Amino acid sequence: MNVLIIYAHPYPASFNAAMKDKAVSVLQDMGHTVKVSDLYAMKFKAVLDQDDFPQPCNREYFSIPGEQVAGVRNGTLAPDIQAEMKKVEWADFLLFQFPIWWSSTPAILKGWVDRVFAQGFVVNLLEGKVYTEGLLSGKKALISTTAGSPPEFYTEGGPHGDINHHLMSLWHNTFEFCGMEVVPTFYVFNAAVMDDLQVRFELERWEEYLRLL
């Protein structure tokens, strides 16, 4: 299986980095081929704008969906977008590793989705190619994420509410919308206050989870 890890954390010695490294090691040990898009190390451009379309199809009116469809069809999107698209095409399984910041993803990961998951590449709205007919059907997606608060904060009656609702725009409105099968999310809570023993425990739990995929 070809696995693409999209990793978003700015600190190379972070727990998220350890989870990414563990995933690479375990998945390769299982016989899978792994590529990593380390967005901060790549200094990936997080803002979708007109520079993404060096050969616009309409110079009088800037329509993002129209430019994306034309750019995908003609192979004229910005080079960094096309490079990531090739990785997505190659992958059977996409693993997204990131911390939850303000109930969402880091901005650099949101920007990766905005720019790489272009219309005409992941969905075709005019032809109804969404959800089960999405252009990424046949691929799987997994979110692996960390939260600073304890798990009881992220329950239906907790202060933050059900954590699955926080990420629904990603796993449902993005991944499933594009046709991917979504594997249950792997969560690590209290990530900001773990001691060495807890870190080892969570990394072992992560390895066990990966080996069951």
Side-chain angles (χ1 to χ4, degrees), residues 15-87:
F15 179 68
N16 270 265
M19 292 188 72
K20 177 260 296 177
D21 292 342
K22 174 65 74 173
V24 172
S25 175
V26 171
L27 291 168
Q28 288 179 338
D29 182 64
M30 294 170 65
H32 304 306
T33 304
V34 182
K35 293 182 180 180
V36 178
S37 286
D38 184 340
L39 302 187
Y40 281 95
M42 295 161 59
K43 299 188 183 302
F44 187 80
K45 175 175 171 278
V47 179
L48 190 162
D49 57 23
Q50 288 174 281
D51 290 339
D52 289 351
F53 312 100
Q55 299 180 43
C57 65
N58 187 336
R59 296 183 181 276
E60 296 182 358
Y61 179 76
F62 179 53
S63 165
I64 291 173
E67 294 296 345
Q68 286 183 327
V69 170
V72 170
R73 181 179 62 244
N74 300 326
T76 55
L77 295 170
D80 63 334
I81 297 176
Q82 294 193 61
E84 293 303 295
M85 285 179 167
K86 288 179 181 177
K87 295 178 189 176

Side-chain angles (χ1 to χ4, degrees), residues 91-109:
D92 305 302
F93 193 104
L94 281 69
L95 193 166
F96 294 80
Q97 179 67 56
F98 61 90
I100 293 177
W101 288 351
W102 290 106
S103 299
S104 187
T105 69
I108 198 168
L109 177 54

Side-chain angles (χ1 to χ4, degrees), residues 24 41 52 60 100 112 146 162-163 189 200 205:
V24 172
D52 289 351
E60 296 182 358
I100 293 177
W112 186 93
T146 61
D162 187 343
I163 195 169
F189 298 97
R200 288 196 298 272
R205 190 169 69 90

Side-chain angles (χ1 to χ4, degrees), residues 44 96 108-118 170 174-175:
F44 187 80
F96 294 80
I108 198 168
L109 177 54
K110 178 59 165 64
W112 186 93
V113 172
D114 286 346
R115 299 180 68 226
V116 177
F117 277 22
L170 188 60
T174 303
F175 299 159

